Amino acid sequence: MVTRRHSLALLAAATTAPGPALARTPQAPAIDLAAILAASGAPAVGGVWLRGGEVVWQGVAGRRAAEHETPVDVADPWHLGSNTKAMTAALVARHVQRGRLAWEVRLGELLPDIAMDAAWRETPLVSLLSHEAGLLDSGLTGPAWLIRARADTRSLPAQRAAFAAEALGRPPAGAPGTFAYGNANYIVAGAALEALTGQSWEAQMQAELFDPLGMAGAGFGPPAGDAPRGHQDVAGQLQSLVPETPGADNPAALGPAGTVHAPLADYARFLAVFAGQGDWLTLSSVARLTTPSGPGSSYALGWGLTPQPWAAGPVLVHEGSNTRWHAIALVDRDGDRAMATVSNGGPRGRAACVGLAEALRRAYVG
């Protein structure tokens, strides 16, 4: 299982589920969540729409697990998959703002103790965040690594340091400067931040992102306790996975590339930053995070950019999935609006997320 990101060119123009739970303004339009669930076959779906940094619509519908009747709640956390990458990139920006590193810092400076191939020493950290370093997942994050990583008892920083040593100990398999999306880039970036600070990526995320943004319900891995569960397809039937099941998520060492979970309201606080709200990130940091490396690129640092006919300028987009959950986020910076949709529907989750995203676009943009 790996975390995947799909290109989002999606908003250009069968069991009865529990009723939707909504938190919205009185003037907010109705969204037929039950119909979206019926069309997708997902156990549950949820979404949030922001304007001017404020949540103007939030809703969820469906079941926490396909086998049970317990309905999802608007306060439930959802696994965000690769949408974590924008958070890891923002963590780098926070360190830049604090003077701990520069945007131009090279891997050789951050990881001096690794016996890396000479080709990597002058590679900028940001080229990992933009997937242009020449580092490929092939041979690094395949089934063999997944098995080893799940059984690894070392600390997560030790695991990531070992991963970085293996990845950087060989010449680049890809062409530096050419976009090649991969989780290995963000695992190595996480290892670099851990070497810089002496703290785990998880601890840095808590201190620099979750706490200052008020994301009290955010965490890592599949949500535990009374919360939705991710699903897999077994002979055409969806089967929920308890969080402790090894296959419920990617190994924790992959964290910087895709293991954050958060309630919709918490995730909205993060998205609002990129819609121009608050001072958690400076305007120059947001600009750096959302600007592609060159004219031919459509990926910045943890965000893709795509034109949409309903937006004046390019829209920030990203999809995340560990194949058990799905999440979509879009930020229209020029229009000061954003949305996120989530599902615990495994292979059926994307259809639910896309369906709700389109319904929100129709309701709020036309």
Side-chain angles (χ1 to χ4, degrees):
M1 174 175 51
V2 296
T3 311
R4 297 186 176 90
R5 192 270 310 177
H6 299 268
S7 177
L8 279 171
L10 58 92
L11 298 177
T15 301
T16 303
L22 302 175
R24 64 188 187 197
T25 60
Q27 298 79 24
I31 304 292
D32 193 347
L33 294 174
I36 292 168
L37 281 182
S40 67
V45 67
V48 62
W49 181 275
L50 297 85
R51 186 65 186 264
E54 298 293 326
V55 172
V56 297
W57 185 93
Q58 182 181 187
V60 297
R63 299 185 173 110
R64 287 177 171 174
E67 306 91 343
H68 308 293
E69 295 294 330
T70 306
V72 289
D73 185 85
V74 289
D76 280 343
W78 304 79
H79 195 286
L80 302 178
S82 277
N83 289 10
T84 300
K85 291 181 172 69
M87 296 180 179
T88 298
L91 177 60
V92 172
R94 288 281 290 184
H95 288 313
V96 172
Q97 290 177 185
R98 292 180 179 273
R100 294 169 179 157
L101 54 76
W103 284 114
E104 300 78 18
V105 69
R106 311 293 176 172
L107 295 184
E109 301 172 66
L110 288 169
L111 297 165
D113 297 330
I114 285 183
M116 65 179 67
D117 185 88
W120 292 114
R121 295 210 166 271
E122 294 302 312
T123 298
L125 174 65
V126 292
S127 68
L128 293 174
L129 305 180
S130 63
H131 302 283
E132 296 175 319
L135 185 61
L136 304 183
D137 278 352
S138 177
L140 290 171
T141 61
W145 177 77
L146 294 174
I147 293 171
R148 291 198 310 272
R150 289 196 176 106
D152 201 327
T153 58
R154 292 174 295 177
S155 70
L156 291 175
Q159 292 181 47
R160 292 176 189 131
F163 183 95
E166 180 180 358
L168 303 179
R170 61 184 77 170
T178 300
F179 177 80
Y181 186 88
N183 292 315
N185 291 283
Y186 276 74
I187 301 173
V188 173
L193 294 181
E194 290 172 336
L196 172 74
T197 65
Q199 294 183 313
S200 70
W201 169 80
E202 287 81 2
Q204 295 174 61
M205 288 283 285
Q206 190 70 50
E208 295 290 342
L209 198 151
F210 297 162
D211 288 348
L213 289 180
M215 297 174 64
F220 308 99
D226 295 329
R229 294 178 179 177
H231 289 75
Q232 63 182 350
D233 186 289
V234 179
Q237 298 293 318
L238 288 183
Q239 179 184 83
S240 66
L241 295 163
V242 298
E244 297 78 17
T245 303
D249 198 7
N250 285 301
L254 189 138
T259 65
V260 166
H261 68 249
L264 283 164
D266 282 6
Y267 191 31
R269 292 184 175 93
F270 178 74
L271 297 181
V273 171
F274 292 88
Q277 302 299 317
D279 57 4
W280 179 72
L281 290 180
T282 64
L283 291 178
S284 61
S285 289
V286 173
R288 186 67 185 84
L289 291 167
T290 59
T291 302
S293 61
S297 175
S298 61
Y299 197 93
L301 307 183
W303 286 106
L305 289 92
T306 183
Q308 296 287 348
W310 48 268
V315 173
L316 301 178
V317 298
H318 218 282
E319 275 189 86
S321 175
N322 68 352
T323 74
R324 311 314 192 197
W325 304 73
H326 208 94
I328 292 175
L330 298 96
V331 181
D332 174 14
R333 296 189 64 205
D334 294 321
D336 193 13
R337 54 196 175 189
M339 73 163 123
T341 59
V342 292
S343 177
N344 62 343
R348 305 178 192 179
R350 186 172 194 266
C353 288
V354 171
L356 179 52
E358 176 62 15
L360 287 168
R361 194 275 304 163
R362 287 194 304 266
Y364 284 98
V365 183

